[in-house]
Amino acid sequence: MSIDVRPAGDFEDVRAVLGPKSPGANVCWCLSYRIPSRLNNELRGPARGEYVAELCRAQPPPGVLAYDGDEPVGWAAVAPRADTSFARNRKIPHVDDLPVWSLWCVRVRPGHRKQGISHALIAGAVAFARDRGAPVIEAYPLDNGDAKVDLTMAYAGLRKNFERAGFVHAADTTSVLAGHPRVLMRLDLRGEVGLGRR
């Protein structure tokens, strides 16, 4: 299986991975860390999808999608931390003043899990941030050791998957998700800017 990761500019493909079965349902749409909590609470039902459609038309797009052929099978949210609620999050520390990017959600569609798609998404999100000049990319995965993680809460990613992608532990956080502590993992992209571009 060859997985291709591309910028998430096609709203219908984003909807296929993140959207609800019923258009009026209130699902996350991966907005909870992207927008202020007040706006997140105000956007209901279809308005949430409409907001994401606007994001898909903007530059940079709101993340990356993994494709198996033409089928969208996974999503990763990645953006400058300053444009997310992580800029103000008291539970997740700021290591320094660099204009870092955040990678905070990795989601693989049911029926496509355990095929390495999350690894491809992490690598694709790193490349997406690097190509847009990010000096450093951060993630806030679960430090679950060998413990099982509830799939609905696994969106933050797992520490071992980020370590495999070259991220290093930069700080502990006071954030806990599904009973597991989250850690701040970083990958320094300075010195790599422009690699892989032709």
Side-chain angles (χ1 to χ4, degrees), residues 15 68 114 145:
R15 182 207 300 270
D68 181 1
K114 306 258 186 240

Side-chain angles (χ1 to χ4, degrees), residues 1-188:
M1 180 177 73
S2 174
I3 295 298
D4 184 29
V5 178
R6 306 196 283 265
D10 185 315
F11 172 66
E12 290 306 320
D13 288 352
V14 172
R15 182 207 300 270
V17 181
L18 297 179
K21 289 188 174 73
S22 163
N26 275 315
V27 297
C28 178
W29 276 104
C30 208
L31 288 174
S32 57
Y33 291 110
R34 188 179 297 275
I35 59 178
S37 58
R38 183 172 171 186
L39 177 59
N40 190 43
N41 292 333
E42 288 170 0
L43 288 174
R44 312 298 291 169
R48 298 182 70 76
E50 289 161 16
Y51 192 94
V52 173
E54 287 291 322
L55 292 174
C56 290
R57 288 192 283 270
Q59 284 300 325
V64 295
L65 288 167
Y67 290 85
D68 181 1
D70 291 329
E71 183 184 10
V73 294
W75 153 266
V78 58
R81 184 178 65 192
D83 297 343
T84 73
S85 65
F86 293 110
R88 301 168 300 282
N89 191 312
R90 292 197 182 118
K91 295 183 175 183
I92 295 176
H94 288 205
V95 176
D96 52 37
D97 294 328
L98 286 170
V100 304
W101 282 50
S102 295
L103 164 54
W104 69 91
C105 178
V106 178
R107 180 163 178 182
V108 177
R109 287 175 81 178
H112 300 277
R113 296 185 177 133
K114 306 258 186 240
Q115 297 173 30
I117 295 170
S118 62
H119 299 292
L121 282 164
I122 292 170
V126 167
F128 178 85
R130 179 192 295 124
D131 288 349
R132 285 156 185 80
V136 173
I137 185 168
E138 290 183 344
Y140 320 105
L142 304 178
D143 192 2
N144 64 313
D146 293 325
K148 279 236 179 255
V149 175
D150 180 318
L151 275 179
T152 59
M153 290 294 146
Y155 69 84
L158 307 178
R159 176 176 179 162
K160 64 185 175 195
N161 288 351
F162 283 94
E163 285 175 339
R164 184 171 155 184
F167 285 67
V168 295
H169 175 269
D172 290 326
T173 79
T174 55
S175 179
V176 176
L177 195 58
H180 303 288
R182 295 173 78 176
V183 288
L184 193 157
M185 306 285 291
R186 281 185 140 203
L187 182 62
D188 194 324

